[in-house]
């Protein structure tokens, strides 16, 4: 039967070969023919294709023939097996063969699965960091904070003493220099030891296997993980040198009490650098590895001594130390000097908290969880220490008798927006609340800078004057500090230096609150600002960082750079995964900023901010005090740095201090920060005569507005436009203002009125008969025609304040 099938198969093959031979002969004839015979060979120009087509036509017959032969062979085999009589030897051999082949197949498949599961390149050992670990550094590379199981002090192999290396080799892997990742002798030895002990007393894992477990696996105990660990160790040995393996193992191994790596453990247990460890101390650290919770010298000194002595004996056996050294080391008691792990120590805690809150804005959750992230910040560590010392002094020396318990300070480089200093409070341990970024407080008179900057940009001159007299607008009555007024016109330059509230509100009415809000926002204020008359005096809350950043726009010639604390972020491979890039934005022109800087210099040289003077170095800035001195501020700058100080209480309790204290603290910090910094001058004030405005003002049309008469002694008396009854109530209770006024007839009897020297447009000032006052400082009364309704939407006035900003 098989002979017949074989004959048929050979016939088919012969036919195919015969076709091949014929095609080749025809092809050769065509190649040797003349050119005039080319047409006759045209159909034979592709012999291989023709041959392939013929084979293709023959294939179905071959396939059919093969199927017939296969089926015949199977039927024949089955009949032969069935016909074999029962033979025990045959069954035994057949079973053994079947089992062996199955085992080989299973083993091969297992090896395939194992190799497939190892996807990580073993070079990852060189850059490994545990998941969710993070390191935050200052601009000069100082570690500010470490998050997660980080090795604080990583050493090169040549920095680790030989005795320490020898202690770990003797304890964990005495054949380390000889094996290639897996020590078969060690595995067998450990198996017998565990069998005799009836429990797991020895692991048999080499140092390379332990490193593989740390980097790629977990602490789960099972056969699959053990096999994978062994295979990874073999791969590591092929790629890395013995010194590389030792270096990374000794830097990553966990040694209890929060210590990762031998250098950190030397500090945690003995408070000394690793090069100062004795033989006994090195053996103590090596003995901790098998069970850190059991052999920790802090938790179980007796077990630690027993384990240490065993390590010393193994070191002697290996020839690392002599018998006398062993005897001396065993006699040494374990003298502990525990210290907190260095990775738990922090610098600039308010700032690092701020950085961790900012990171999710720039990096995904998955990236942050990978671990090994290094954040390079903008913080100047030296300046930070100076700022912390200044805040400590502020609270301990000034706060006690001025009634404030908290203080905050921040500094920003106005040229690039980098945050150089951030101190969010005095006592981070008990108060993690960051008063630089989280505390929303009324800025007081520091907000006047935005009012006057808008006025200058709108075309007003710093010599523009307003009446320094008690002033009421739509029921809102601002008061100067101490409720004192000169009664004469005052320029806005002098009004800023002396922090006159009534002039600031009159300026707001003339310019409009919408332009002021817009400028403040562009300069860096991010908090909500509402269009009310009290806006001019800082009634709406802001935080210290945005206020300081906004002042930096003036220091940078009207160009705003967004404040930020992260410079760049690196992954564990050292690749840049984030780089800060905030484009500069021109907010106001350089002429306006030059004028404003000149006006703010006047605050420091002869106004409320004289406590902030830095000798010959030019300084510009502004003080601020909110209602009842609840907030004390000073925001100031030099060309290279802008800094802000806040003093107060978290519970909003009034203080007994003044903003001059904030200016003094600002100086305390800045005199340290400017050391080694060259003195730079502010730009010269340009000629602003005939200067065109760069923004359009939107004057406000109050429903009612009035002024009062100020005597030369500085007191004030209400005008006759109020009734006698209302006038008496106003004198008794200055904080109460009435919303209804009696319109006076200018043609009636003798009258006295006071108008500002440069009154805001769209107002009508009238008066009614009132008794003469001693030495009046009045000005001729006048009527100004109202203009059409301004674009700005009218907002209800804020209630009068009992204590007004300085």
């Amino acid at each position: 039967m098989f002979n017949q099938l074989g004959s048929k198969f050979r016939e088919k093959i012969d036919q195919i070969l015969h076709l091949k031979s014929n095609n080749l002969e025809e092809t050769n004839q065509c190649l040797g023919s003349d050119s005039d015979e080319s047409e006759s060979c045209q159909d034979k120009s592709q012999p291989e294709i023709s041959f392939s087509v013929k084979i293709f036509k023959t294939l179905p017959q071959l396939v059919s023939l093969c199927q017939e032969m296969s089926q015949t062979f199977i039927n024949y085999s089955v009949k032969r097996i069935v016909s074999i009589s029962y033979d025990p030897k045959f069954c035994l051999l057949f079973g053994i063969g079947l089992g062996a082949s199955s085992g080989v197949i299973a083993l091969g498949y297992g090896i395939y699965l194992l190799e497939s599961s190892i996807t990580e390149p073993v070079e990852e050992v060189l850059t490994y960091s545990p998941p969710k670990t993070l390191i935050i550094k200052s601009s000069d590379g100082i570690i500010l904070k470490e998050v997660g199981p980080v090795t604080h002090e990583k050493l090169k192999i040549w920095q680790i003493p030989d005795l320490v290396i020898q202690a770990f080799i003797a304890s964990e892997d005495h054949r380390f220099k000889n094996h290639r990742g897996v020590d078969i002798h060690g595995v067998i030895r450990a198996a017998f030891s565990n069998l005799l002990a009836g429990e797991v007393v020895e692991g048999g894992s080499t140092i390379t296997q332990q490193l593989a477990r740390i980097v790629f696996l977990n602490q789960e105990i099972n056969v699959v993980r053990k096999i994978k660990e062994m295979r990874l160790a073999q791969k590591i040995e092929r790629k890395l040198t013995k010194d590389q393996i030792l270096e990374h193992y000794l830097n990553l191994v966990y040694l209890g009490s929060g210590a990762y790596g031998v250098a950190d453990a030397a500090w945690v247990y003995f408070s000394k650098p690793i090069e100062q460890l004795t033989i006994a101390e090195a053996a103590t650290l090596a003995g901790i590895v098998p069970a850190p919770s059991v052999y920790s010298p802090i938790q179980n000194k007796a077990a630690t001594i027993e384990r240490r002595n065993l390590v010393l004996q193994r070191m002697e056996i290996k020839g690392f130390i002599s018998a006398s050294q062993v005897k001396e080391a065993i006699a040494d008691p374990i003298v502990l000097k525990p210290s907190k792990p260095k990775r738990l120590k922090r610098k600039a805690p308010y700032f690092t908290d701020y950085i961790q809150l900012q990171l999710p804005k720039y990096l995904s959750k998955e990236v942050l969880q990978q671990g090994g992230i290094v954040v390079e910040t903008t913080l100047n560590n030296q300046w930070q220490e100076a700022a912390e010392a200044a805040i400590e002094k502020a609270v301990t020396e000034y706060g006690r008798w001025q009634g404030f318990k908290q203080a905050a300070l921040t500094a920003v480089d106005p040229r690039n927006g980098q945050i150089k200093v951030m101190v969010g409070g005095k006592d981070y341990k008990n108060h993690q609340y960051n008063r630089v970024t989280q505390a929303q407080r009324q800025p007081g008179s520091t907000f006047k800078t935005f009012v006057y900057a808008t006025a200058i940009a709108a075309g007003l001159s710093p010599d523009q004057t307003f009446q320094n007299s008690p002033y009421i607008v739509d029921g809102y009555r601002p008061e100067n500090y101490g409720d004192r007024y000169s009664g004469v016109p005052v320029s806005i330059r002098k009004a800023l230096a002396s922090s006159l509230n009534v002039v600031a509100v009159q300026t707001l009415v003339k310019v409009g609150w919408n332009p002021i809000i817009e400028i403040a926002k562009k300069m860096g204020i991010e908090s909500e600002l509402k269009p009310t008359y009290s806006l001019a005096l800082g009634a709406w809350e802001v935080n210290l960082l945005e206020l300081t950043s906004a002042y930096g726009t003036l220091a940078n010639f009207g160009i705003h750079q967004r404040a930020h604390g992260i410079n760049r972020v690196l992954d564990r491979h050292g690749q840049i995964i984030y780089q800060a890039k905030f484009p500069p934005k021109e907010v106001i022109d350089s002429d306006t900023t030059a004028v404003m800087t000149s006006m703010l210099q006047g605050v420091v040289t002869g106004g409320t901010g004289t406590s902030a003077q830095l000798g010959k170095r030019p300084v510009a800035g502004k003080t601020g005090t909110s209602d009842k001195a609840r907030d004390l501020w000073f925001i100031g700058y030099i060309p290279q740095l802008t800094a802000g100080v806040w003093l107060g209480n978290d519970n909003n309790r009034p203080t007994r201090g003044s903003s001059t204290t904030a200016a003094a603290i600002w100086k305390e910090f800045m005199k340290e920060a400017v050391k080694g910094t060259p003195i730079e001058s502010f730009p010269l004030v340009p000629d602003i005569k005939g200067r065109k405005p760069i923004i359009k003002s939107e004057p406000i049309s109050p429903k009612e507005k009035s002024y009062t008469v100020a005597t030369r002694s500085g007191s004030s008396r209400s005008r006759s436009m109020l009734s006698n009854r209302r006038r008496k109530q106003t004198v008794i209770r200055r904080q109460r203002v009435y919303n209804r006024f009696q319109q006076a007839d200018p043609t009636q009897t003798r009258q006295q009125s006071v108008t500002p020297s440069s009154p805001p447009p769209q107002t009508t000032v009238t008066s009614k008969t009132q008794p003469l006052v001693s030495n009046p400082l009045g000005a001729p009364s006048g009527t100004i025609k109202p203009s059409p309704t301004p674009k700005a939407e009218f907002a209800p006035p804020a209630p009068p304040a009992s204590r007004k900003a300085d």
Side-chain angles (χ1 to χ4, degrees), residues 142 166 216 223 280 477 503 521 770:
I142 302 298
Q166 292 165 356
F216 300 111
V223 175
R477 185 182 187 276
V503 176
K521 290 284 188 181
Q770 71 168 14

Side-chain angles (χ1 to χ4, degrees), residues 254 256-258 269 291-304 336:
Y254 181 62
S257 300
Y269 294 115
S293 60
V294 176
Y295 297 122
S296 169
I298 295 177
Q299 299 176 0
N300 193 343
K301 186 171 288 189
T304 301
L336 297 178

Side-chain angles (χ1 to χ4, degrees), residues 403-417:
F404 62 84
K405 293 184 177 181
Q406 284 297 340
L409 190 157
T410 192
V412 178
D413 188 333
R415 299 164 296 187
N416 51 35

Side-chain angles (χ1 to χ4, degrees), residues 456 460-466 489-494 595 599 688-689 757-758:
I456 298 298
L460 270 67
S461 166
D463 298 322
Q464 171 80 45
T465 59
F466 291 91
V490 177
S491 68
I492 60 175
R493 179 187 296 275
K494 184 176 181 180
V595 172
M599 293 170 62
I688 57 175
K689 291 182 180 179
S757 57
S758 299

Side-chain angles (χ1 to χ4, degrees), residues 270-389:
F270 306 111
S271 298
K272 61 173 63 175
I274 192 170
E275 60 269 15
Q276 296 181 10
L277 292 178
T278 65
I279 296 176
E281 290 169 344
T284 299
L285 296 184
I288 296 174
V289 176
S293 60
V294 176
Y295 297 122
S296 169
I298 295 177
Q299 299 176 0
N300 193 343
K301 186 171 288 189
T304 301
I305 292 175
E306 183 180 352
R307 180 68 185 176
R308 178 203 66 179
N309 294 345
L310 178 61
V311 175
L312 290 170
Q313 292 169 2
R314 290 181 177 179
M315 292 178 70
E316 181 190 3
I317 294 172
K318 287 292 296 180
F320 294 145
I321 57 177
S322 63
S324 59
Q325 287 177 308
V326 173
K327 184 176 180 181
E328 183 180 350
I330 290 176
D332 284 344
I334 295 180
V335 180
L336 297 178
K337 189 179 178 182
S339 293
K340 192 176 182 180
K342 289 183 179 180
R343 67 184 178 86
L344 300 181
K345 294 182 179 180
R346 298 180 60 179
K347 293 178 177 290
Y350 291 103
F351 178 72
T352 53
D353 283 355
Y354 166 75
I355 292 299
Q356 287 184 262
L357 291 174
Q358 294 293 306
L359 276 175
K361 297 180 181 179
Y362 310 117
L363 299 176
S364 66
K365 184 179 180 181
E366 291 74 20
V367 171
L368 290 172
Q369 288 182 341
Q370 288 176 3
I373 302 297
V374 177
V375 183
E376 296 179 354
T377 71
T378 60
L379 192 84
N380 185 305
N381 188 62
Q382 185 177 353
W383 292 358
Q384 177 72 16
E385 292 177 353
E388 290 173 353

Side-chain angles (χ1 to χ4, degrees), residues 469-478 506 702-709 718-719 721-722 737-738 741 754-756 763-767:
S469 297
Y471 176 66
I472 302 173
V473 55
D474 285 330
Y476 177 67
R477 185 182 187 276
Q506 292 176 68
K703 293 180 179 180
E704 295 176 316
K705 184 172 70 173
S706 66
Y707 303 86
T708 61
V709 176
S718 174
R719 294 181 53 183
M721 65 184 302
L722 297 175
V737 180
Y738 294 87
F741 296 90
V754 179
T755 60
T763 61
T764 302
V765 181
T766 60
S767 63

